[in-house]
């Protein structure tokens, strides 16, 4: 695997290599951003997220629905942070409440009275699709990381290496897109046994449909590696027009 990088031509990989490459994708991406600051890593996350969420938005629209307010506001706050335009107190409160609600839904961890009010406003009674909820989780991780880092800056405390942003949630998104791709491309999968799932994954990795997903993510990262801060707003507007998969499959993505 040492000879591969995050921008390796995925279509050149053999079936036996694709799963190994995907398992190392986040690590290889971090290596590519090794000399970049957190803003570049955050931008890489957000450009991919815009394409992903744009596809989710299209699927919801086809069903007469809209993106949740929690996802829209979370993304707005993260972009505002990149552009140096946040009220840190509001940002911190929103980040902590969002993260707490995600933990509550994932693990049953108790909420404070303030967090219960936040939950009622943004989460309660909403039947999120799996992919939209994963995007919310993704935002919650980035929000809480920003909150911790910025709070330490104010207190003049050292920023630890482990507080550097990562691409972990993109790996989670890829798991969803991999499952969706198997269904969309009608890739045969004999059973849900690990050996049969692995074979189906290797087959779907050879399809143009899945290869284009990888290419889209790679292009987002390449853009983020070379972007000027003055272009962030333009990049958001541009990437909101892109989709992680073609429009006609957006509704099927909502099943995951």
């Amino acid at each position: 695997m040492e000879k591969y990088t995050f921008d390796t031509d995925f279509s050149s990989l053999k079936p036996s290599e694709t799963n190994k490459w995907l398992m190392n994708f986040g690590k290889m991406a971090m290596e590519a951003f090794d000399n970049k600051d957190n803003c570049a890593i955050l931008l890489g996350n957000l450009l991919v997220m815009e394409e992903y969420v744009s596809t989710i938005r299209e699927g919801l629209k086809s069903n007469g629905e809209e993106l949740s307010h929690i996802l829209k506001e979370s993304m707005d706050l993260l972009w505002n942070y990149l552009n140096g335009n946040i009220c840190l107190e509001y940002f911190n409160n929103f980040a902590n409440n969002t993260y707490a609600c995600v933990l509550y839904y994932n693990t049953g961890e108790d909420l404070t009275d303030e967090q219960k009010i936040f939950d009622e406003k943004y989460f309660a009674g909403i039947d999120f699709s799996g992919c939209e909820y994963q995007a919310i989780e993704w935002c919650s991780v980035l929000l809480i990381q920003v909150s911790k880092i910025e709070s330490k800056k104010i207190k003049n405390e050292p920023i630890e290496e482990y507080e550097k942003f990562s691409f972990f949630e993109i790996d989670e998104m890829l798991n969803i897109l991999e499952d969706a791709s198997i269904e969309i491309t009608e890739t045969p999968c004999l059973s849900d046994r690990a050996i049969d799932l692995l074979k189906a994954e290797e087959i779907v990795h050879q399809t143009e449909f899945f290869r284009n997903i990888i290419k889209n993510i790679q292009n987002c990262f390449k853009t983020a590696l070379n972007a000027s801060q003055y272009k962030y707003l333009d990049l958001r507007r541009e990437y909101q027009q892109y989709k992680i998969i073609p429009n006609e499959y957006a509704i099927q993505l909502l099943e995951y």
Side-chain angles (χ1 to χ4, degrees):
M1 288 303 299
E2 285 74 20
K3 63 180 178 179
Y4 299 128
T5 65
F6 92 93
D7 60 348
T8 291
D9 180 4
F10 190 74
S11 65
S12 70
L13 299 178
K14 299 175 183 176
S16 59
E17 297 172 321
T18 53
N19 268 313
K20 293 178 182 178
W21 187 88
L22 285 167
M23 287 176 63
N24 285 274
F25 181 69
K27 178 183 176 183
M28 292 186 293
M30 285 303 297
E31 289 171 353
F33 281 79
D34 190 47
N35 295 320
K36 296 292 183 177
D37 61 16
N38 263 332
C39 284
I41 300 173
L42 179 56
L43 178 63
N45 275 273
L46 289 176
L47 292 181
V48 177
M49 193 186 297
E50 286 294 348
E51 293 194 4
Y52 185 48
V53 171
S54 181
T55 308
I56 295 169
R57 183 188 294 111
E58 189 66 28
L60 290 169
K61 181 181 176 182
S62 298
N63 288 336
E65 300 172 314
E66 295 182 353
L67 279 178
S68 61
H69 290 297
I70 185 65
L71 181 52
K72 288 189 287 188
E73 189 164 348
S74 295
M75 292 178 69
D76 286 346
L77 281 174
L78 289 166
W79 278 104
N80 287 344
Y81 169 72
L82 269 184
N83 287 289
N85 182 29
I86 62 166
C87 168
L88 189 57
E89 182 179 2
Y90 179 83
F91 188 101
N92 286 347
N93 287 337
F94 190 93
N96 285 314
N97 288 334
T98 302
Y99 193 73
C101 288
V102 167
L103 282 179
Y104 168 71
Y105 282 97
N106 289 351
T107 67
E109 187 164 321
D110 290 340
L111 298 175
T112 65
D113 289 341
E114 178 186 345
Q115 290 161 356
K116 288 177 182 176
I117 294 171
F118 189 89
D119 173 63
E120 280 294 322
K121 180 178 180 181
Y122 287 105
F123 285 87
I126 301 177
D127 184 20
F128 297 106
S129 66
C131 53
E132 183 172 10
Y133 186 74
Q134 190 269 324
I136 294 167
E137 285 186 308
W138 187 354
C139 284
S140 76
V141 171
L142 295 173
L143 286 165
I144 204 69
Q145 285 181 305
V146 169
S147 177
K148 288 181 178 179
I149 290 169
E150 291 304 307
S151 295
K152 282 196 172 186
K153 285 181 181 178
I154 288 176
K155 295 176 183 177
N156 233 359
E157 296 178 4
I159 307 300
E160 303 292 339
E161 179 63 25
Y162 70 84
E163 290 174 319
K164 197 169 187 178
F165 297 134
S166 72
F167 297 109
F168 174 76
E169 291 295 329
I170 290 180
D171 287 336
E172 294 298 302
M173 179 198 69
L174 271 170
N175 289 335
I176 291 174
L177 292 174
E178 192 173 48
D179 289 342
S181 297
I182 289 172
E183 291 293 326
I184 289 169
T185 61
E186 299 182 346
T187 296
C189 186
L190 298 180
S191 75
D192 58 1
R193 293 187 307 162
I195 189 170
D196 290 328
L197 288 172
L198 180 63
K199 183 62 178 176
E201 289 167 0
E202 290 180 350
I203 293 171
V204 85
H205 294 165
Q206 306 304 308
T207 65
E208 184 178 0
F209 186 89
F210 190 80
R211 286 172 173 175
N212 282 337
I213 292 172
I214 299 301
K215 190 180 298 183
N216 288 340
I217 297 171
Q218 290 172 320
N219 287 338
C220 289
F221 287 172
K222 290 174 186 176
T223 298
L225 282 166
N226 298 295
S228 161
Q229 183 177 0
Y230 303 106
K231 295 291 185 181
Y232 287 169
L233 284 175
D234 291 338
L235 285 172
R236 185 181 192 189
R237 284 191 286 265
E238 177 184 350
Y239 277 76
Q240 282 177 328
Q241 308 305 311
Y242 300 153
K243 305 290 189 296
I244 199 78
I245 62 174
N247 271 353
E248 57 264 36
Y249 305 108
I251 292 179
Q252 287 173 266
L253 181 60
L254 296 184
E255 298 173 5
Y256 295 89

